[in-house]
Amino acid sequence: KVLTPEQRYDFAVQQINEMVIASIDSWDFGGLSWDKLPADPECNEDNKRYLINHPNAKWIKDVIFAKGQDIENFFGELPKPSKKK
């Protein structure tokens, strides 16, 4: 079965959401709440999914996804390859 462009887009968005949710290890809301989440909500699977799938959280997802694409965020600055003589 060939997916329609809309189905491919929805699948890609779903995959990005799953990567973003999996990458969240902790958070600090600084005493703030988010929609139905209470102030300083627990960083658990349900709350991560609620936040990332919230229609007003696109900017949060974009920031996390962009940072996740930069390998240096996980390993620090990578060493430069040595020049072989």
Side-chain angles (χ1 to χ4, degrees), residues 34 51 54-65:
W34 179 273
L51 178 69
H54 192 282
N56 293 336
K58 183 181 180 314
W59 68 272
I60 297 170
K61 181 173 38 181
D62 290 347
V63 168
I64 294 171
F65 184 73

Side-chain angles (χ1 to χ4, degrees), residues 27-80:
W27 57 35
D28 181 357
F29 272 56
L32 301 176
S33 61
W34 179 273
D35 194 40
K36 294 180 183 177
L37 294 179
D40 290 323
E42 180 182 352
C43 184
N44 60 34
E45 193 70 18
D46 289 338
N47 288 347
K48 290 190 290 186
R49 288 189 178 284
Y50 181 79
L51 178 69
I52 294 306
N53 291 314
H54 192 282
N56 293 336
K58 183 181 180 314
W59 68 272
I60 297 170
K61 181 173 38 181
D62 290 347
V63 168
I64 294 171
F65 184 73
K67 293 294 183 184
Q69 298 302 301
D70 185 354
I71 196 167
E72 289 183 359
N73 283 318
F74 295 97
F75 297 104
E77 187 173 344
L78 299 175
K80 305 290 182 224

